[in-house]
């Protein structure tokens, strides 16, 4: 079956065709780094991880960009509260975010552009929007996007603008803007911003949140690209505004497929930092649950359906990943020399698994295929009905599924490739000769190949990045 995705823009499932055959340009909204992300956020990031892994297994080369929001109201407020610089605060939480991604086995993006490193690009885009009549400066040194100037405004969220504007007008007491729904592209400096400010043609200030994603996505993926993702709460206003800014600045289309994942709930309500009803990854890990069970519990549902988190579900998930691990060990006992080949063959069950994912990433259906097959295979093993060759094919299938789910225990993780091994040895040599510069260069080369080397008293430990 051909790949189909539900596109929020058209509210339909559509056949997926990237702009360039075999290449997918993907943008996913990243975290606001004022706090440690909660497992609700990770539901969205895991959906994106599975989407990317699936496209890769289906033969696409995926170029993935995820922004880091390191300046906004929340980051500024928190840095003031903690009396640390904005950079100190955001660096701390960016690093925690990367550590969490790793623990959840989320494959890294190709790039993580930070908002504060792209202020010049944002100013240039805002200038373009002002020149073209889509935006206007105000007396307080801010710049607003005029939604009236863009007839396409509201197409993603399907807004009834007339209705919204009349209700907004009653609630809004902000008279600096021409129209209440207009949103800030640039925010003029206020005393509570402290030292956080950049010079611009409109005076000191900082960019709005929405402009950063329009600018950084198009900078690294091109003005028009394939897929844009986020959680459903991003549809309005964030993604609606991204479309307005990007399309008006370039005069071209923007993202072609918009995929949004539903929320993770806790006791029926959205898990969110502002409600205070959230768990961080650390909160769950310290209870002793393995990361692969957390990965599984957050993936075990269709991305467009709400998912309820509970400790019971997590306990069940732990049993499931244990059963999968037991199944893996059982097959490996028969063929201990088995190593997954670089290019995993597409077995019929592997194909059925991917077929289910072709249909708008139907993980529950794909898992049903997998568990049915695992049960049958276990029965065949009970009756010693499988030849050595058949066992190898089963392991191929298991590893193909694992390319997407990544739920097997860590002992199975890909063996370190020889070229990485050689670089590690050369680096050890350089270290013994106290040639630190060379050792550092080698570490970078190892990193570029997707591996991390850590020095421990027992010698270097190499892990996938
Ligand atoms: P933030 O750091 O708040 O910008 O959120 C990062 C990502 O997590 C965004 O794509 C949000 O849509 C998503 N998100 C926030 N809360 C939840 C939730 N309870 N369930 C799933 N995704 C969420
Ligand atoms: Zn964004």
């Amino acid at each position: 079956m051909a790949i189909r995705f539900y596109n929020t823009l058209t509210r339909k499932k559509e056949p997926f065709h990237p702009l360039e055959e075999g290449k997918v340009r993907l943008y996913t909204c990243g975290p606001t780094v004022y706090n440690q992300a909660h497992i609700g956020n990770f539901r969205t990031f895991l959906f994106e991880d599975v989407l990317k892994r699936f496209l890769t297994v289906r033969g696409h080369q995926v170029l993935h960009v995820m922004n880091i929001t390191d300046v906004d109201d929340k980051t500024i407020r928190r840095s003031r509260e903690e009396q640390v610089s904005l950079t100190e605060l955001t660096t701390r939480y960016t690093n925690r975010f990367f550590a969490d991604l790793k623990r959840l086995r989320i494959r890294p993006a190709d790039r993580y552009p930070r908002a504060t490193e792209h202020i010049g690009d944002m100013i240039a885009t805002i200038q373009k929007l002002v020149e073209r009549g889509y935006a206007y400066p105000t007396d307080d040194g801010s710049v607003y996007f005029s939604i009236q100037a863009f007839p396409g405004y509201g197409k993603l969220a399907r807004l009834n603008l007339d209705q919204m504007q009349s209700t907004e007008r009653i609630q809004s007491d902000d008279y600096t803007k021409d129209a209440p729904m207009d949103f800030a592209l640039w925010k003029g400096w206020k005393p509570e911003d402290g030292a956080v400010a950049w010079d611009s043609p409109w005076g000191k200030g900082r960019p709005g949140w929405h402009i950063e994603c329009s600018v950084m996505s198009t900078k690294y993926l091109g003005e028009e690209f394939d897929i844009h993702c986020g959680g459903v709460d991003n549809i309005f206003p964030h993604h609606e505004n991204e479309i307005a800014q990007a399309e008006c600045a370039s005069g071209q289309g923007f993202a072609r497929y918009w995929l949004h994942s539903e929320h993770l709930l806790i006791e029926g309500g959205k898990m969110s930092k502002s409600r205070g009803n959230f768990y961080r990854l650390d909160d769950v890990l310290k209870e002793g649950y393995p990361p692969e069970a957390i990965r599984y519990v957050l993936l075990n549902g269709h991305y467009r359906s709400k998912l309820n988190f509970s400790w019971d579900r997590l306990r069940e998930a732990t049993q499931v990943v244990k059963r999968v691990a037991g199944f893996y060990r059982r097959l490996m006992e028969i063929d201990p020399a088995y190593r997954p080949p670089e290019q995993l063959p597409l077995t019929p069950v592997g194909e059925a698994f991917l077929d289910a994912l072709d249909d708008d990433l139907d993980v529950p259906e794909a898992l049903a295929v997998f568990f049915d097959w695992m049960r049958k295979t276990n029965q065949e093993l009970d009756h010693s009905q499988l030849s050595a060759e058949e066992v190898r094919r089963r392991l191929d299938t298991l590893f193909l599924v694992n390319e997407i789910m990544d739920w097997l225990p860590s002992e199975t993780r890909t063996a370190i490739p020889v070229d990485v091994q050689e670089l590690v040895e050369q680096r050890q040599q350089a270290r013994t000769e106290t040639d630190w510069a060379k050792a550092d260069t080698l570490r970078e080369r190892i990193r570029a190949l997707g591996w991390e080397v850590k020095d421990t008293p027992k010698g270097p430990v190499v892990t996938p990045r």
Side-chain angles (χ1 to χ4, degrees):
M1 208 209 295
I3 301 176
R4 298 186 314 146
F5 290 135
Y6 180 87
N7 190 348
T8 309
L9 197 58
T10 57
R11 304 286 196 274
K12 278 197 202 94
K13 270 191 209 173
E14 294 174 11
F16 174 68
H17 298 294
L19 280 166
E20 200 180 328
E21 178 87 33
K23 289 210 168 127
V24 177
R25 296 185 180 84
L26 168 71
Y27 187 84
T28 60
C29 287
T32 308
V33 283
Y34 71 107
N35 206 328
Q36 203 168 349
H38 57 66
I39 59 172
N41 302 129
F42 284 112
R43 177 183 191 200
T44 295
F45 300 135
L46 274 165
F47 142 67
E48 294 158 354
D49 182 52
V50 162
L51 172 69
K52 184 163 109 180
R53 285 166 175 265
F54 161 69
L55 288 166
T56 310
V57 172
R58 275 298 193 211
H60 294 89
Q61 204 187 324
V62 182
L63 180 60
H64 177 203
V65 176
M66 177 186 272
N67 67 301
I68 302 286
T69 301
D70 60 354
V71 56
D72 78 329
D73 294 342
K74 289 181 277 192
T75 42
I76 294 174
R77 197 182 320 124
R78 181 51 76 93
S79 74
R80 278 169 66 94
E81 280 164 11
E82 291 196 15
Q83 298 185 335
V84 294
S85 71
L86 184 69
T87 317
E88 186 180 335
L89 179 95
T90 57
T91 307
R92 183 200 311 156
Y93 289 115
T94 305
N95 290 341
R96 292 220 182 138
F97 175 67
F98 289 148
D100 284 354
L101 289 183
K102 204 159 155 185
R103 290 190 290 180
L104 283 172
R105 304 180 179 183
I106 293 175
R107 291 203 177 139
D110 297 280
R111 267 178 190 279
Y112 291 103
R114 287 158 171 80
T116 54
E117 290 171 4
H118 294 77
I119 306 285
D121 296 310
M122 295 183 215
I123 291 175
T125 303
I126 299 170
Q127 267 180 311
K128 215 188 264 181
L129 290 169
V130 173
E131 279 159 23
R132 296 189 181 169
Y134 293 111
Y136 57 93
T138 52
D139 293 343
D140 66 347
S142 300
V143 181
Y144 285 91
F145 185 91
S146 166
I147 61 160
Q148 263 189 338
F150 178 50
Y153 194 82
K155 64 181 170 183
L156 181 73
R158 304 273 169 113
L159 303 175
N160 179 342
L161 283 187
D162 296 338
Q163 199 186 2
M164 288 196 67
Q165 275 175 344
S166 54
T167 34
E168 275 265 335
R169 190 149 301 158
I170 301 162
Q171 290 162 0
S172 170
D173 56 357
D174 185 350
Y175 293 110
T176 56
K177 303 186 253 177
D178 289 358
M181 292 265 299
D182 290 354
F183 59 90
L185 300 170
W186 185 260
K187 297 184 168 185
W189 182 85
K190 292 201 194 84
E192 58 264 35
D193 293 342
V196 181
W198 288 267
D199 287 325
S200 82
W202 314 283
K204 271 199 316 179
R206 61 183 164 99
W209 171 39
H210 315 301
I211 193 72
E212 77 173 76
C213 282
S214 302
V215 167
M216 299 196 292
S217 59
T218 50
K219 173 161 181 156
Y220 295 110
L221 297 173
E223 281 168 346
E224 219 177 321
F225 59 89
D226 300 301
I227 308 180
H228 195 313
C229 297
V232 283
D233 56 315
N234 286 156
I235 299 175
F236 185 78
H238 186 49
H239 290 165
E240 192 68 57
N241 293 353
E242 275 191 46
I243 294 177
Q245 300 160 144
E247 293 194 1
C248 293
S250 73
Q252 294 186 33
F254 181 48
R256 297 164 64 242
Y257 297 86
W258 288 85
L259 273 60
H260 291 102
S261 76
E262 254 298 350
H263 282 143
L264 182 71
L265 307 182
I266 182 154
E267 284 141 21
K270 180 193 165 193
M271 182 175 287
S272 75
K273 288 177 207 165
S274 53
R275 290 177 191 218
N277 61 348
F278 61 87
Y279 295 112
R280 299 182 192 92
L281 184 57
D282 283 324
D283 300 328
V284 184
L285 287 174
K286 81 169 186 275
E287 298 296 320
Y289 294 98
E292 50 278 26
I294 302 165
R295 194 178 154 91
Y296 176 69
V297 88
L298 295 174
L299 284 176
N300 187 18
H302 192 277
Y303 76 90
R304 286 197 291 120
S305 305
K306 293 185 172 53
L307 184 72
N308 214 6
F309 174 81
S310 71
W311 294 101
D312 274 347
R313 291 196 69 158
L314 187 54
R315 271 188 282 277
E316 278 164 31
T318 308
Q319 291 312 313
V320 173
V321 294
K322 271 194 188 149
R323 277 207 301 279
V324 176
F327 176 61
Y328 158 77
R329 293 197 184 104
R330 201 171 178 198
L331 290 167
M332 285 300 282
E333 262 169 34
I334 306 172
D335 187 3
Y338 175 87
R339 293 290 172 274
E342 189 87 25
Q343 187 65 47
L344 284 159
L346 204 48
T347 55
V349 178
E351 183 59 49
F353 182 84
L354 294 178
D355 263 352
L357 297 180
D358 282 344
D359 184 14
D360 194 29
L361 218 64
D362 195 339
V363 169
E365 184 56 38
L367 287 173
V369 169
F370 173 82
F371 287 121
D372 186 48
W373 166 80
M374 184 170 105
R375 189 177 45 79
K376 286 188 187 135
T377 306
N378 267 324
Q379 282 166 0
E380 286 165 331
L381 290 170
D382 290 345
H383 300 104
S384 316
Q385 284 166 338
L386 297 177
S387 69
E389 179 55 27
E390 280 168 329
V391 167
R392 265 195 295 280
R393 293 289 75 82
R394 305 292 152 119
L395 279 161
D396 287 343
T397 301
L398 184 59
F399 272 88
L400 184 82
V401 169
N402 197 53
E403 273 300 296
I404 309 279
M405 297 304 293
D406 210 340
W407 54 0
L408 290 179
S410 6
E411 76 209 37
T412 62
R413 309 209 61 192
T414 345
I416 305 161
V418 234
D419 49 349
V420 174
Q421 200 67 58
E422 278 169 9
L423 291 174
V424 173
E425 278 159 27
Q426 285 173 26
R427 184 171 168 277
Q428 270 316 93
Q429 188 60 35
R431 282 171 57 84
T432 351
E433 289 162 14
T434 65
D435 187 348
W436 308 116
K438 188 171 172 191
D440 283 347
T441 316
L442 286 162
R443 180 202 288 279
E444 282 314 309
R445 284 179 59 194
I446 296 165
R447 276 180 69 83
L449 292 169
W451 297 78
E452 200 78 72
V453 53
K454 250 201 210 125
D455 301 300
T456 73
K458 287 188 192 148
V461 173
V462 186
T463 47
R465 273 177 71 196

